[in-house]
Amino acid sequence: MSESLPLGRPVLGAREEELVLEVLRSGNLSLGRRLPEFEREFAARLRVSYASAVSSGTAGLHLALRAVGVSDGDEVITSPFSFVASANVAVYERARPVFADIDPVTLNLDPDAAAAAITNRTTALLPVHIFGYPADIPAFERLGLPIVEDACEALGAVHQDGVAVGGRGHPAVFGFYPNKQLTTGEGGLVTTTDLQLKERIDSERNQGRSPDMGWLDHDRLGFNYRLSDIACALGLAQLERLDQLLAARANVADLYRAALAGLEDLTLPCPDRDGNRRGWFVFVVQLPRGVERDAVVRALVSDGIPSKPYFPAVHLMTFYRERFGHREGEFPVCEDVAARSIALPFFPQMTEAQVDRVSAALTAVLRGARSDRQAVR
Ligand SMILES: Cc1ncc(COP(=O)(O)O)c(C=O)c1O
């Protein structure tokens, strides 16, 4: 068996070491100067007024939902084709995540389906820029409700009108887990153009303390969702090289697209259209209908190639079935895509030879599967 590939891998170098060591030597490991510096640099990069760094993308989504006023008994419309966190954060506030189906091409929440799901309890829309492809935020804006954008997978993505994803002014949340375009180990960040919203998030990430309050005096309920200065230093170093990191990911995606072009019944990530630009995060393909996905995953693993079903439909997860009574058939587009999708190894340093190896293995498995299907007919 050939050497195993990783599914993803961050790019870390001398600059990350230098900035992190400097924080360690300074002794200011949290709430030091790297936190506001990271926030300022990140906001400047997206041309947005403010940024609040937090301990994870999930923490950012939670605080952003609270900040737009979601609470007990409210409904938040979101995508069932996402990482579970985008729905969980509504449940944290005893609100109900209301799912609506996705667009079959972009795989993002469909604005028409979202519009049809609005009730008098709907307090917010939570579209997800899935796999780094810009969701149609202008269409959601026309629905006239507060929006929180889940941009955890979408750093580097750009809307049709040239505005960066996360730069439209609604609170938009990024995630910095090690598989992301930029990593701080664990971490997240909320962008906004609203100073009051930033101040509320800054307070709630720090146990509800206002910046001008005395030590251990708190005027509202808060959390410990702080991001350490160690993490912010890592983030600053990653920001310096973000253009290279994004370009390298886009290059790997191009290599995959070329190498897999011959497999007509395999669905590749949708190409950029109408001026929208993806910020490459993962390379997820949809297997042809009728192919047994687990068998494909097993065959790839035996060649040292990891892959994973990505994403399973959120509404069909055990917790969501049991808590909200969801069943198969509610969101047919999402369910069809979720049943056929796998994420292939994808990271900035991936070589052409590695992409070719994955593509050749997938091609061989699918050709084998096709002849089996033909034999059955
Ligand atoms: C779409 C989406 N939303 C939310 C999150 C949550 O981010 P974190 O893992 O940093 O809490 C992720 C991270 O994987 C994500 O992909």
Side-chain angles (χ1 to χ4, degrees), residues 55-59 61 82-86 128-130 150-153 174-177 179-180 186-188 281 310-311:
S55 53
S56 68
T58 309
L61 288 167
S82 179
F83 184 61
V84 68
S86 47
V128 182
H129 302 277
I130 202 73
D150 182 340
C152 283
E153 303 186 349
F174 293 85
F176 304 138
Y177 187 74
N179 63 346
K180 298 297 193 299
E186 294 282 357
F281 165 54
Y310 207 72
F311 280 114

Side-chain angles (χ1 to χ4, degrees), residues 252-272:
V252 174
D254 285 346
L255 293 172
Y256 263 127
R257 208 179 277 293
L260 293 171
L263 285 170
E264 300 113 33
D265 42 4
L266 185 75
T267 308
L268 302 183
C270 73
D272 290 346

Side-chain angles (χ1 to χ4, degrees), residues 45-56:
R45 159 114 204 168
L46 266 64
R47 297 175 192 276
V48 66
S49 325
Y50 307 109
S52 294
V54 288
S55 53
S56 68

